[in-house]
Amino acid sequence: MPVLLNPDRAPTLSELLKAIPGGLVINTVPGIGQWQNPVIAGVGSLANAGSNEISFIVHPKYLDQLASTQACAVIVLPEIEEKLSVSPEPIKFSRIVCKHPYLLYARIAQWFDWAKQPARELSIHPTAVVDPSAVIARSVTIGPYAVIGPRCKIDEMAQIGAGCVIGADVAIGASSLLHPRVTIYEGVKIGMRAIIHSGAVLGADGFGFAPDPSLAKGAWGKIPQLGSLLIGNDVEIGANTTVDRGALENTILEDGVKLDNQIMIGHNCKIGAHTAMAACVGVAGSTTIGSRCTIGGAAMVSGHLTIGDDVHVSGGTAVTANVSKPGRYTGVFPFSEHADWQKNAAVLQQLSSLRKRLRVLERDSEN
Amino acid sequence: MPVLLNPDRAPTLSELLKAIPGGLVINTVPGIGQWQNPVIAGVGSLANAGSNEISFIVHPKYLDQLASTQACAVIVLPEIEEKLSVSPEPIKFSRIVCKHPYLLYARIAQWFDWAKQPARELSIHPTAVVDPSAVIARSVTIGPYAVIGPRCKIDEMAQIGAGCVIGADVAIGASSLLHPRVTIYEGVKIGMRAIIHSGAVLGADGFGFAPDPSLAKGAWGKIPQLGSLLIGNDVEIGANTTVDRGALENTILEDGVKLDNQIMIGHNCKIGAHTAMAACVGVAGSTTIGSRCTIGGAAMVSGHLTIGDDVHVSGGTAVTANVSKPGRYTGVFPFSEHADWQKNAAVLQQLSSLRKRLRVLERDSEN
Amino acid sequence: MPVLLNPDRAPTLSELLKAIPGGLVINTVPGIGQWQNPVIAGVGSLANAGSNEISFIVHPKYLDQLASTQACAVIVLPEIEEKLSVSPEPIKFSRIVCKHPYLLYARIAQWFDWAKQPARELSIHPTAVVDPSAVIARSVTIGPYAVIGPRCKIDEMAQIGAGCVIGADVAIGASSLLHPRVTIYEGVKIGMRAIIHSGAVLGADGFGFAPDPSLAKGAWGKIPQLGSLLIGNDVEIGANTTVDRGALENTILEDGVKLDNQIMIGHNCKIGAHTAMAACVGVAGSTTIGSRCTIGGAAMVSGHLTIGDDVHVSGGTAVTANVSKPGRYTGVFPFSEHADWQKNAAVLQQLSSLRKRLRVLERDSEN
C-alpha cells in the first residue's frame, strides 16, 4: 500500500499504540534492532506491507505469510504469539498481542486516515447556493456548487460535498459527511456522524400507484408520498444507494445502520440499529428489519415482511416470508458448468411429478 | 403523519370530496357531533391518523384497527358500511362509501400534495447555463446549476431541478418534472407530465461491443450507439434508474410506464404502455415488453425476448424465454434456514441422476 | 434510423470502405444502376435501413429480411454471397463480402459516429472550478460546473463533462471522456481512452467494518479504505456503476475492461484485461477475475474468490466458489407459470429426504 505519512510525521510503535483507545493490547513483544520500537508510516497486508508498515494476522493459516512478511510490526493473536515465542529462529518484527487483531487493525487504520488529513478550513464555497433561511453552524464546510434549500439546519462540523443538492427543511447532524453529488429530498432528517457517499439519493418518492381506469385501460394514478425519511446517528450509506421517503408514515434507518453501494430501500421500511447490508440489496416497501441483522450482497427482501433481530441472510437470497427466529437463512441456486446445469434444471420442472412417481413406488413396495 | 395543512387552509369533508374528480363516492354517512362534516387537515393510516385526518379501510381484516382509529372520516367499502350501519354502538367518524377505497385515497392524497405546494415562481435561476439556441417556454422553472444544451425544447410548466444536465437536442414535454441531478444525453425525447427522480440517467450508450482481435487478444471494439430514447406521456422514472439509448433503432418507453428506483433498461428495448416495474429490475437489450405488465422487484429479463401484454413477473424471477400468454410467472429459489438449504441444494446437482435412478426402479417394478 | 450525414457530407461506398482500417473486406460486388457505388448516409438494420444506408447480415436465417431490405449496400458473409451470386433475380444492392460482418459494421458505425461530430472547441468552461495546482493539458475540454481537485493531472484531448466532481490527486489519461455528473474520489488513476458514463462513482470507500462492541451491542467500527483504484487503458464504465477503492491494496481494472450500467465492483477486486460485464452485476470485495471473461447481466460473484481467464458466467448466476477452468457456468432457477413453480418449489425443500427415500427403495430392490 502507499506509505501514508512522511517519516517525519510517522509515529513510533509505542506512540501509535498510546494514541489508540480501547485497552485492546495485551502486551507488546519488541522486535530486533531497529524494529524494537519501529517508526510506523502505514498499514499493510502481511504479503505486501513494507518495512515501515504494521500488519496483522487473524488466523494460523496465514503463518506462511507471516514468516516472509516485511512488516516491522504485526498484530497477533495470543495463540500465535505462543508459537512465535518458542520459534527456534529469532523473530525480527515487533508483535502486538491482542485478542481482536482485526478490530485493533481497524482502529490503527482509522488513526492513519485521520493523521493524513490536512488541517480543515471551515468555509462555504462562494459558488454554493444557500437559502438565506437555512441555519448553518459556524464550523460547517460546503463545497462548490452545492445547493441548500430553505429552512435546512446543518450542525457543527458537518461537511457538504461539491454538487450536493439538499431540499427544503432537511436536517443534517453534527460531524456528518456528505461526499460530492448526494441528493436529499425535502424534509429528510439525518443524525450525527453520518457518512453519505456520492450519488446516493435519500427521500425520493416511494413507488406508489393505484389503478386508475378513468385515465386509460391499465393506467396507474400516482399516490403522493407524504411521509419522510428519518436517519439515526452513525449511519453510513454507500454510493448510488437510494432510500425512499414514506407514503403515509416515515421510512426509518436506526442508529448505526450501514448500507453498502447500489442498495434500494423502499418506502415505509424500518431498518433496526446496527443492521448492515452488502451491495446491491433491495428491500421492498413496508418491510421491517430488526437490529444487528446482516444482509448479504444482492439479496432481496419482499415487501410487507417482518424480519426479527439478529437474522443473517446469505448473499443472493430472496427473502419472501417473515423471519422471526435469529440465525442464518439462505436460498441460492448452486452454479455449475452450463451443461450440468441444463440437465439438472430440466428436472426441476418435474419435481412435483417425480415426487408422485416416488410415492407410487413406495406404495408398491409396501404392498 | 404530519398534518399537512393549517386549519385555516384545510377543507371540510364535503369541500374535499367536491374537489376530487371521478364519481367514486357512492354516499357519505355523517359522523357524530363535530365530525358530521369535519375539517380534514391530512391523510393517515387507520392506526396513526389524528383526529383531523381522513383514513381508509380496504379489507374487513382491518376492522379491529377501524374500531380504535382516531380518524375523523374513513373511506369504507360498501360491505363494511353495511356492518357499521347495524353496529350497536354509535360510530363517531364520518364514512365515505366507495367501491375503490384505495383509488379514492390516492386521489385525496394527490389533492393534499397539490394543496400544500407554495404558489410557484416561474423562473430560470441565474446560475443555470442555458444554451441560447434552446427554446424554453415562458412558464418553465430551471434550478441552480442546471445545464441545458443547444437546441433543447422545454415546454410549458416543466420544472428542471438543480444540477440537472441536459444534452443537445433534448425535448421535454409540458408539466414534466425533473428532480435535481438528472442527466439526459443528447437527442432524448420526453413526453408530457413525466416525473424523473434524482440520479436517473436517460439515453446513455447501450452496451455494444464487437470482438476486435486486431486491437489485442480478446479485445472489444465499441459499437457506437446511434439510436435515441423516446419516452411517452405520464411516465415516472425512479432515482438512479438508467435507460440506455438504442444502437440502431430507438429505445422506447410508451405512455404511462412506471419505473421504480435502480432499474436498468438496455438498448433497443420497447416497454409497452402502463407497464410498471418495481425496483432493481434489469431488462437486457432488444427485449420488447407488452402493455400493462408488472415486473416484480429484482426480476431480470434476458435480451432479445418478446413478452406479451398483461404478463406479471414475480420479484426475483429470471425471465429467460419469450412469454406470450398473459398470467403470472415465477422462478425463485425458496429460502430456508441455512443448514436445510445446504442439504437440499446438494441434491440439486444430482437431480438428473436421481431421475434416472427413479426410472430404473420404475422399470424394475414394471417387470 | 435517423440519417446521420447530409448527402453533401456522406461518402460513397468506395470512399467509406477506404476510410475503414483493418483489411476486413474480401471483395465488393457492385449493385445495379445508382447502387453500383452508392452514397452512404448512415447505417441501418436490414428491416429498417433506408435506401441511402448500409446494412449487414450475420446469419442465413435473416435471408428473408435481406430479400426485402431497402439498404443500398449490405455486408455479407462469403457463404451468403455465394447464394446471392447464383440468384435467378438480379440483386439491386451492393455487397461487401467479409468474414466478420459484425466487426465491419461496428467500424463503419464508429466512422459515422466520428463523422457527425462537430469540430471540437477546446476549452475550460468559465464556471468550472479547477484547483490552481491541477495540471491540465492544452487540448482538454472541461464542462460547466465541473470541479477539479488539487494536484489532478488531466492529459491531452480528455473531456470532462458538466457537473463532474474530481477529487484530489486524480489522474485521467489522454483522450478519455467523462460524461456529465461522474464522481471520482481522491487518488484514483484512469488510463487513456476511457469512457465513463454519467452517474458513475469511482473510488468511493469500500464496505469495511469491524465489530466494535465498545460503541454499542452489535455496533460496527469503520475501517478506513486506504487503498486506491487503478484503471487501465480503453476501459468503458456504464451509467451509475460504482467501483470502490481498496482497503489496503488497490482495486484494479485492467486494460480493455468493459462494464455496463448499474454494476458494483467491491474493494480490492482485480478485474483482468478485456473482461466484459453486462448490467446489474455485483462483484463482492477481494475477488480476482481473470482476463477475457464475460459476466452476464445481474450475475453476482461472492467475495474473496479467484475466477480464472476465459470464464463465461450466464446472466442471473450466483458464483459462490472459485472457478479455475475456462468455460460457461450457470445457476439460474428456471421460471414457469406461477402455479407450476409453486408445485415444484415445494418439493425443493424436501429434496434431501426424497433422495433418502429413493435410496431406501433402491436397497429394497437390490435385496
Side-chain angles (χ1 to χ4, degrees):
Chain A
M1 73 162 308
V3 172
L4 288 171
L5 297 178
N6 286 329
D8 56 332
R9 292 184 60 198
T12 62
L13 176 59
S14 58
E15 288 168 348
L16 176 63
L17 292 179
K18 236 178 273 175
I20 305 297
L24 287 167
V25 177
I26 297 174
N27 66 303
T28 304
V29 183
I32 291 176
Q34 68 189 80
W35 288 357
Q36 267 195 300
N37 184 24
V39 167
I40 312 277
V43 188
S45 63
L46 283 177
N48 291 289
S51 65
N52 53 359
E53 294 180 359
I54 190 170
S55 189
F56 63 103
I57 176 168
V58 292
H59 196 276
K61 73 180 170 187
Y62 298 115
L63 279 170
D64 276 3
Q65 286 183 33
L66 184 66
S68 61
T69 189
Q70 300 300 311
C72 58
V74 179
I75 307 168
V76 300
L77 285 164
E79 54 264 39
I80 288 177
E81 174 54 25
E82 253 176 78
K83 288 187 192 168
L84 296 178
S85 65
V86 297
S87 157
E89 295 166 35
I91 309 283
K92 280 197 309 185
F93 50 78
S94 287
R95 285 97 75 192
I96 303 93
V97 187
C98 169
K99 278 196 182 166
H100 305 287
Y102 196 57
L103 176 54
L104 181 56
Y105 148 66
R107 294 199 171 158
I108 288 175
Q110 285 163 359
W111 185 91
F112 277 101
D113 197 45
W114 166 83
K116 72 171 183 167
Q117 302 294 332
R120 183 166 302 153
E121 289 177 26
L122 305 172
S123 68
I124 298 181
H125 195 275
T127 62
V129 172
V130 180
D131 192 278
S133 65
V135 178
I136 314 288
R138 289 171 57 101
S139 54
V140 165
T141 308
I142 300 180
Y145 302 126
V147 178
I148 315 282
R151 297 173 304 280
C152 283
K153 185 168 176 301
I154 305 188
D155 291 348
E156 294 293 342
M157 297 297 292
Q159 299 175 66
I160 311 297
C164 286
V165 180
I166 300 184
D169 299 298
V170 168
I172 296 178
S175 298
S176 285
L177 165 60
L178 274 61
H179 283 276
R181 289 209 315 100
V182 167
T183 309
I184 305 185
Y185 281 51
E186 62 166 0
V188 174
K189 310 297 177 201
I190 300 177
M192 292 187 287
R193 295 176 302 278
I195 300 175
I196 318 285
H197 286 280
S198 296
V201 179
L202 305 181
D205 287 356
F207 197 62
F209 297 93
D212 189 346
S214 70
L215 297 171
K217 182 184 172 194
W220 300 97
K222 182 173 175 72
I223 301 175
Q225 303 294 299
L226 304 171
S228 187
L229 166 62
L230 308 184
I231 298 179
N233 296 325
D234 300 300
V235 169
E236 181 157 350
I237 294 178
N240 283 350
T241 281
T242 54
V243 185
D244 279 352
R245 67 192 314 106
L248 281 177
E249 315 304 325
N250 296 314
T251 306
I252 295 172
L253 306 183
E254 292 186 349
D255 290 350
V257 165
K258 309 293 183 188
L259 303 183
D260 198 354
N261 297 3
Q262 306 258 17
I263 286 174
M264 163 62 184
I265 308 289
H267 58 178
N268 314 323
C269 283
K270 186 181 164 194
I271 313 295
H274 311 302
T275 282
M277 301 190 189
C280 304
V281 165
V283 182
S286 301
T287 280
T288 295
I289 296 182
S291 296
R292 297 176 306 276
C293 295
T294 58
I295 314 287
M300 59 160 276
V301 185
S302 297
H304 297 274
L305 297 184
T306 301
I307 312 296
D309 295 339
D310 300 300
V311 166
H312 305 282
V313 175
S314 301
T317 296
V319 179
T320 52
N322 292 337
V323 177
S324 55
K325 196 177 129 196
R328 186 174 174 200
Y329 295 82
T330 307
V332 178
F333 197 102
F335 82 109
S336 56
E337 292 192 36
H338 185 74
D340 292 337
W341 169 79
Q342 273 185 309
K343 270 189 301 186
N344 291 312
V347 185
L348 260 186
Q349 310 282 35
Q350 312 163 357
L351 275 186
S352 176
S353 69
L354 238 62
R355 184 173 55 175
K356 275 186 209 140
R357 284 160 59 187
L358 185 62
R359 189 75 202 102
V360 166
L361 286 175
E362 284 172 335
R363 255 187 245 131
D364 288 355
S365 99
E366 281 159 18
N367 298 336
Chain B
M1 73 163 307
V3 172
L4 288 171
L5 297 178
N6 287 328
D8 55 333
R9 291 184 60 198
T12 62
L13 176 60
S14 59
E15 287 167 346
L16 177 64
L17 292 178
K18 234 178 273 175
I20 305 297
L24 287 167
V25 177
I26 297 174
N27 66 303
T28 304
V29 183
I32 291 176
Q34 69 190 79
W35 287 356
Q36 267 195 301
N37 183 24
V39 167
I40 312 276
V43 187
S45 62
L46 283 177
N48 291 288
S51 65
N52 53 357
E53 294 179 358
I54 191 169
S55 189
F56 63 103
I57 177 169
V58 292
H59 195 278
K61 71 181 169 186
Y62 298 114
L63 279 170
D64 276 2
Q65 286 182 34
L66 185 65
S68 61
T69 190
Q70 301 300 311
C72 59
V74 179
I75 308 167
V76 299
L77 286 163
E79 53 264 41
I80 288 176
E81 174 54 25
E82 253 176 76
K83 288 186 193 168
L84 295 178
S85 65
V86 297
S87 156
E89 296 165 36
I91 309 282
K92 280 196 309 184
F93 50 80
S94 287
R95 284 97 74 193
I96 303 94
V97 186
C98 169
K99 279 196 181 163
H100 305 287
Y102 197 56
L103 176 54
L104 181 56
Y105 149 65
R107 293 199 172 158
I108 288 175
Q110 285 163 359
W111 186 90
F112 276 101
D113 196 45
W114 166 85
K116 73 173 181 162
Q117 302 293 332
R120 185 166 302 156
E121 288 176 27
L122 306 172
S123 69
I124 298 180
H125 195 275
T127 63
V129 172
V130 181
D131 191 277
S133 65
V135 179
I136 314 288
R138 291 171 56 101
S139 54
V140 165
T141 307
I142 301 180
Y145 302 126
V147 177
I148 315 282
R151 297 172 303 281
C152 283
K153 185 169 176 300
I154 304 188
D155 291 348
E156 294 293 343
M157 297 297 292
Q159 299 175 66
I160 312 297
C164 286
V165 180
I166 300 183
D169 299 299
V170 168
I172 296 178
S175 298
S176 286
L177 165 61
L178 274 61
H179 284 277
R181 290 208 316 99
V182 167
T183 309
I184 305 185
Y185 281 51
E186 61 167 0
V188 173
K189 311 296 177 202
I190 299 177
M192 292 187 288
R193 295 176 300 278
I195 299 175
I196 318 284
H197 287 280
S198 296
V201 178
L202 305 181
D205 287 356
F207 197 63
F209 298 93
D212 189 346
S214 70
L215 296 172
K217 183 184 169 193
W220 300 97
K222 182 174 175 73
I223 300 174
Q225 303 294 301
L226 303 170
S228 186
L229 166 61
L230 309 184
I231 298 178
N233 296 324
D234 299 300
V235 170
E236 182 157 350
I237 294 178
N240 284 351
T241 281
T242 55
V243 186
D244 278 352
R245 67 193 312 107
L248 281 177
E249 316 304 327
N250 296 314
T251 305
I252 295 172
L253 306 184
E254 292 187 350
D255 290 350
V257 166
K258 309 293 183 190
L259 303 182
D260 198 353
N261 296 5
Q262 307 258 18
I263 286 174
M264 163 62 185
I265 307 289
H267 58 179
N268 314 322
C269 284
K270 185 181 165 195
I271 312 295
H274 309 303
T275 282
M277 301 190 190
C280 305
V281 165
V283 182
S286 302
T287 280
T288 296
I289 296 182
S291 296
R292 298 176 305 277
C293 295
T294 58
I295 314 287
M300 58 161 278
V301 185
S302 298
H304 298 273
L305 297 184
T306 301
I307 311 296
D309 295 339
D310 299 300
V311 167
H312 304 283
V313 175
S314 301
T317 296
V319 179
T320 53
N322 293 336
V323 177
S324 55
K325 197 176 128 193
R328 185 175 174 200
Y329 295 83
T330 306
V332 178
F333 197 102
F335 82 109
S336 55
E337 292 192 38
H338 185 72
D340 292 336
W341 170 80
Q342 272 185 309
K343 271 189 301 185
N344 291 311
V347 185
L348 259 187
Q349 309 282 36
Q350 311 164 357
L351 276 186
S352 177
S353 68
L354 238 63
R355 182 172 56 175
K356 276 187 209 140
R357 285 161 59 187
L358 185 63
R359 189 74 202 101
V360 167
L361 286 175
E362 286 172 336
R363 254 186 246 131
D364 287 356
S365 99
E366 282 159 17
N367 297 336
Chain C
M1 74 163 308
V3 172
L4 289 171
L5 297 178
N6 287 328
D8 56 333
R9 292 185 59 198
T12 63
L13 176 59
S14 58
E15 288 167 347
L16 176 64
L17 293 179
K18 235 177 276 176
I20 304 295
L24 287 167
V25 176
I26 297 174
N27 67 303
T28 304
V29 182
I32 291 176
Q34 70 190 77
W35 288 357
Q36 267 195 299
N37 184 23
V39 167
I40 312 278
V43 188
S45 63
L46 283 177
N48 291 289
S51 65
N52 53 358
E53 293 179 358
I54 190 170
S55 189
F56 63 104
I57 176 169
V58 292
H59 196 277
K61 72 180 169 187
Y62 298 115
L63 278 170
D64 276 3
Q65 287 183 32
L66 184 66
S68 61
T69 189
Q70 300 300 311
C72 59
V74 179
I75 308 169
V76 299
L77 284 164
E79 53 264 40
I80 288 177
E81 174 55 25
E82 254 177 76
K83 289 187 191 168
L84 295 178
S85 65
V86 297
S87 157
E89 295 166 35
I91 309 284
K92 279 195 311 185
F93 50 80
S94 287
R95 284 97 76 192
I96 302 94
V97 186
C98 169
K99 279 196 180 164
H100 305 288
Y102 196 56
L103 176 54
L104 182 56
Y105 147 66
R107 293 197 172 159
I108 288 175
Q110 285 163 359
W111 185 91
F112 276 101
D113 197 44
W114 166 84
K116 73 171 181 165
Q117 302 294 331
R120 184 166 301 154
E121 289 176 28
L122 305 173
S123 68
I124 298 181
H125 196 276
T127 62
V129 172
V130 180
D131 191 277
S133 64
V135 178
I136 313 288
R138 290 172 56 101
S139 53
V140 164
T141 308
I142 300 180
Y145 302 126
V147 177
I148 316 282
R151 297 172 303 280
C152 283
K153 186 169 175 300
I154 304 187
D155 291 347
E156 295 292 344
M157 297 297 292
Q159 299 175 67
I160 312 296
C164 287
V165 180
I166 299 184
D169 300 298
V170 168
I172 296 178
S175 297
S176 286
L177 165 61
L178 273 62
H179 284 277
R181 287 208 317 100
V182 167
T183 308
I184 305 186
Y185 280 52
E186 62 167 359
V188 173
K189 311 297 177 200
I190 300 178
M192 292 187 287
R193 295 176 300 278
I195 300 175
I196 318 284
H197 287 281
S198 296
V201 178
L202 305 181
D205 286 356
F207 197 63
F209 298 93
D212 190 345
S214 70
L215 296 172
K217 183 184 170 194
W220 300 96
K222 181 174 175 74
I223 300 175
Q225 303 293 300
L226 303 170
S228 185
L229 166 61
L230 308 184
I231 298 179
N233 296 323
D234 299 300
V235 169
E236 182 157 350
I237 294 178
N240 283 351
T241 281
T242 55
V243 186
D244 278 352
R245 68 192 313 108
L248 281 177
E249 316 303 326
N250 296 313
T251 305
I252 295 173
L253 306 183
E254 293 188 348
D255 290 350
V257 165
K258 310 293 184 190
L259 303 183
D260 198 353
N261 296 4
Q262 306 258 20
I263 286 174
M264 162 62 183
I265 308 289
H267 58 177
N268 315 322
C269 284
K270 185 181 163 196
I271 312 295
H274 310 303
T275 283
M277 301 190 190
C280 305
V281 165
V283 182
S286 302
T287 280
T288 295
I289 296 182
S291 296
R292 298 176 305 277
C293 295
T294 58
I295 314 286
M300 59 160 276
V301 185
S302 298
H304 298 274
L305 297 184
T306 301
I307 312 296
D309 296 339
D310 300 300
V311 167
H312 304 284
V313 175
S314 301
T317 296
V319 179
T320 53
N322 292 335
V323 178
S324 55
K325 197 176 128 195
R328 185 173 175 201
Y329 295 83
T330 306
V332 179
F333 197 103
F335 82 107
S336 55
E337 292 192 37
H338 185 74
D340 292 337
W341 170 79
Q342 273 185 308
K343 270 189 301 185
N344 290 311
V347 185
L348 260 186
Q349 310 281 36
Q350 312 164 356
L351 275 187
S352 176
S353 68
L354 237 64
R355 182 172 56 174
K356 277 186 208 141
R357 285 160 58 186
L358 185 61
R359 189 74 202 101
V360 166
L361 286 175
E362 284 172 336
R363 254 188 245 131
D364 287 357
S365 97
E366 280 159 21
N367 297 336

